Amino acid sequence: MTTEEIVAKVKNLAPVSHAALRLVSLLDQAAVSNDEIVQVLKYDTVLTAKLLRACNSPYFGFEDPVSSVEQAVLVLGHQQILHLVLSLAFSGAMNTPLPGYAAEGGELWRHSLTTAMASETLTRSGLPVEFETPVAFTAGLLHDIGKLVFNHVLDDAAQLAIRSRITDGKLARTDAEREIVGADHAEVGAHLLRSWKLPDDIVEAVGRHHQPTCQPRPKLSVVTHVGNCLAHLVGSTLGWEGYAVRADAAATEALAITPEKLEDLMIAVHDAAAKVEHFMHVS
């Protein structure tokens, strides 16, 4: 089965806000102004309501109530607003159970948020290459979105066969999916995001987050790959498959991550993961 056939079979994905997709498309611009963000959000009443509810939650702890999008952007700053809005926009779709991955409701969402925060942490840790923090966060947030689609084609027989190839054949999850189904969740996710006309670097990061592009120069998939591995290392995993995630040595080398630096990153991501639990109640 091809990626196109898999995506075409799924008609009941939770709808994603057009405003959120528009914000993602703005991320590849050199600079995004507060006014541009406000103009995108003001026409999405549902997302605006969620944003204001989140801003007035104990998570942020503002003394004075936030009563408008303009005020929210002013007090939080456009980078944090982008993180918050994208998280709110995708939370509904990603909170669903994924029986094909033996994952309960909320597990994909928790792992996606943790990977996003891990990817953001990487961009601020003095990497030898530069990536925009909001773009890295978004790629981390969406890296496993293909599982929402792929879940619908994983019947009992396919699940057992994939699990057997992982446990007995010692294959990585994506290799097992391609062998049994004909495509993997990363390819499916990239195809879905491409159909939504999202920026190429985010599509690349999602499509290759298990096989990152390290040469001739590291692409965003390298950060997403390492962010995903960090999320698994601190215990944010999906179903039973955490042990099947393998870090690419070329990726850690491309980012100059030494064993000592990896330990520091794990501490930082562990602290960020603790915030995820609080944020999930907001979103």
Side-chain angles (χ1 to χ4, degrees), residues 6-252:
I6 292 171
V7 172
K9 285 173 68 72
V10 180
K11 305 296 183 183
N12 58 343
L13 280 181
V16 176
S17 163
H18 290 294
L21 296 180
R22 173 60 182 148
L23 285 178
V24 177
S25 71
L26 290 176
L27 293 179
D28 62 351
Q29 297 185 8
V32 182
S33 70
N34 288 357
D35 287 342
E36 286 176 293
I37 295 172
V38 170
Q39 288 302 314
V40 171
L41 288 175
K42 67 188 298 183
Y43 297 108
D44 190 319
T45 56
V46 174
L47 194 53
T48 295
K50 288 182 177 180
L51 173 63
L52 296 180
R53 180 171 68 87
C55 288
N56 289 300
S57 72
Y59 180 83
F60 289 103
F62 294 129
E63 291 185 5
D64 299 320
V66 177
S67 56
S68 68
V69 173
E70 289 87 348
Q71 187 182 359
V73 174
L74 184 64
V75 297
L76 288 179
H78 76 267
Q79 183 166 298
Q80 190 165 8
I81 281 288
L82 283 170
H83 290 181
L84 180 56
V85 168
L86 293 175
S87 299
L88 292 170
F90 286 97
S91 63
M94 292 190 179
N95 257 316
T96 58
L98 298 180
Y101 289 88
E104 298 179 357
E107 285 191 45
L108 175 62
W109 185 222
R110 180 179 293 104
H111 174 68
S112 298
L113 279 172
T114 305
T115 301
M117 290 183 176
S119 300
E120 178 183 30
T121 299
L122 282 166
T123 65
R124 293 174 172 168
S125 63
L127 300 180
V129 289
E130 291 187 6
F131 297 97
E132 293 295 328
T133 297
V135 178
F137 179 93
T138 303
L141 188 72
L142 300 180
H143 78 286
D144 268 346
I145 197 167
K147 289 182 177 178
L148 291 174
V149 179
F150 213 80
N151 177 67
H152 290 270
V153 301
L154 294 178
D155 56 23
D156 291 343
Q159 291 177 49
L160 288 173
I162 289 172
R163 186 162 187 166
S164 174
R165 298 303 294 136
I166 292 173
T167 56
D168 300 334
K170 307 303 181 185
L171 292 182
R173 173 85 203 196
T174 49
D175 292 334
E177 287 178 345
R178 284 194 297 273
E179 184 174 303
I180 301 303
V181 180
D184 64 60
H185 69 272
E187 296 169 333
V188 168
H191 181 81
L192 180 65
L193 297 188
R194 191 177 295 109
S195 73
W196 290 348
K197 300 185 180 353
L198 296 198
D200 290 342
D201 50 358
I202 292 178
V203 173
E204 185 273 337
V206 170
R208 297 192 61 85
H209 73 270
H210 285 291
Q211 297 174 311
T213 305
C214 301
Q215 297 295 335
R217 57 178 295 275
K219 291 192 174 182
L220 184 60
S221 56
V222 176
V223 172
T224 308
H225 171 79
V226 176
N228 179 47
C229 292
L230 284 167
H232 282 286
L233 284 171
V234 301
S236 177
T237 192
L238 197 62
W240 54 270
E241 65 182 57
Y243 77 92
V245 176
R246 301 170 184 174
D248 188 300
T252 55

Side-chain angles (χ1 to χ4, degrees), residues 254-266:
L255 300 184
I257 297 177
T258 63
E260 294 77 18
K261 188 167 187 176
L262 179 62
E263 185 174 338
D264 291 339
L265 286 168
M266 285 179 63

